[in-house]
Amino acid sequence: MKFKDDVAIITGAASGIGQEVALQLAKEGAKIVLVDLNACGKTINSFEQGTDYLECLGDIKDPKFVKAVVNRTIEKYGEVHILVNNAGTCSRLDLEDMTLEMWDRDLNTNLKATFLFTQAVVYPHMKEAGYGRIVNISSVSGINGGVVSGEEKNGRSGPAYAASKGGVIALTRWVAKELGKYGITCNSVAPGATATAITAGVAYDTGGQVIDRMGEPSDIAEAVLYFASRGAGYTTSQVLKVDGGISIG
């Protein structure tokens, strides 16, 4: 079992990509800390019998909640090996219609929370252990300015989402440079259009992709598991696009 006895914190674990990451890590022997604003019953009910897990429900934008999650993890398991910053929001308002409320929501959920959890697991826990795997879910929108859907308006991911995910990529690279000396790697997976709640109801034209279909959460989870593994110890600061080839020029 590739992740036997590893302790993994996963944000946004109630559904979608986070749920799939949790299930795959658990199947490989990891102890799972499920973090979400919503109850994770669907994920928990899908675990194999005997899976060791901890559910933490709250707002990942709240520093006190983030610290409480990490403290509960350490109290129960004594250590933390893997952090997957997955939870996110995506407003689809264009620049003209973008509100400050939506801007703050996307930036705080996607970028601020990634910073908060990274800081909380590294200092002192991963640093003292001399080991850690941090995987941040960004997006090809943070690279190319937004995946265009088939709709004329409010289909493309908005400027707040693109800015937040671009920030996640920049933060990933900064953290990787800072923490490599402690045996901690930090990488990012950048999905393209993927069938989750965020993309529900949005019509994506995948005909221009090399692989003509929407991505599935399992496609993204497979990439996350590589970065989270002990075998990825010489890989850091990378942004892996899992996008069906849409980024090919």
Side-chain angles (χ1 to χ4, degrees):
M1 302 180 79
K2 193 178 296 185
F3 294 95
K4 183 173 174 55
D5 295 328
D6 281 351
V7 178
I9 296 175
I10 305 160
T11 69
S15 62
I17 293 169
Q19 179 186 56
E20 187 64 27
V21 170
L23 294 177
Q24 291 200 27
L25 282 172
K27 190 176 294 185
E28 292 292 338
K31 302 170 183 177
I32 307 297
V33 181
L34 304 160
V35 182
D36 209 295
L37 190 61
N38 303 306
C40 298
K42 185 177 177 182
T43 305
I44 293 168
N45 291 336
S46 299
F47 279 145
E48 294 181 352
Q49 187 173 3
T51 296
D52 194 344
Y53 70 89
L54 172 66
E55 183 184 35
C56 299
L57 303 181
D59 186 354
I60 63 171
K61 304 187 297 297
D62 180 357
K64 292 181 180 178
F65 172 69
V66 172
K67 290 181 180 178
V69 169
V70 176
N71 288 341
R72 286 184 64 190
T73 301
I74 297 301
E75 286 171 6
K76 181 168 184 176
Y77 297 118
E79 53 193 345
V80 56
H81 305 95
I82 299 164
L83 169 66
V84 181
N85 286 304
N86 162 74
T89 56
C90 177
S91 59
R92 297 185 182 276
L93 300 174
D94 62 18
L95 184 61
E96 181 179 8
D97 298 326
M98 176 58 61
T99 65
L100 185 58
E101 179 184 9
M102 286 295 98
W103 177 271
D104 287 345
R105 186 198 70 168
D106 284 1
L107 266 291
N108 289 337
T109 304
N110 301 343
L111 182 55
K112 176 184 174 182
T114 296
F115 153 70
L116 290 173
F117 267 99
T118 299
Q119 185 183 58
V121 299
V122 170
Y123 302 105
H125 310 295
M126 287 183 175
K127 180 182 175 182
E128 288 185 352
Y131 179 85
R133 298 284 184 266
I134 300 170
V135 187
N136 299 324
I137 304 301
S138 56
S139 169
V140 293
S141 292
I143 300 170
N144 64 16
V147 176
V148 178
S149 75
E151 302 177 18
E152 293 183 3
K153 188 176 177 66
N154 292 344
R156 177 187 183 194
S157 51
Y161 182 77
S164 67
K165 293 301 189 177
V168 168
I169 290 170
L171 179 62
T172 296
R173 289 172 170 156
W174 194 98
V175 168
K177 288 184 178 181
E178 178 72 11
L179 301 183
K181 59 193 173 189
Y182 303 125
I184 301 168
T185 64
C186 186
N187 293 285
S188 179
V189 176
T194 305
T196 66
I198 281 181
T199 60
V202 180
Y204 286 91
D205 180 8
T206 60
Q209 295 179 182
V210 177
I211 301 171
D212 184 8
R213 67 171 176 86
M214 291 278 284
E216 296 293 336
S218 58
D219 295 315
I220 314 306
E222 291 290 349
V224 171
L225 260 64
Y226 166 66
F227 284 140
S229 71
R230 294 179 183 272
Y234 199 53
T235 303
T236 198
S237 188
Q238 299 304 302
V239 181
L240 177 57
K241 292 178 281 188
V242 185
D243 64 358
I246 195 172
S247 297
I248 298 175

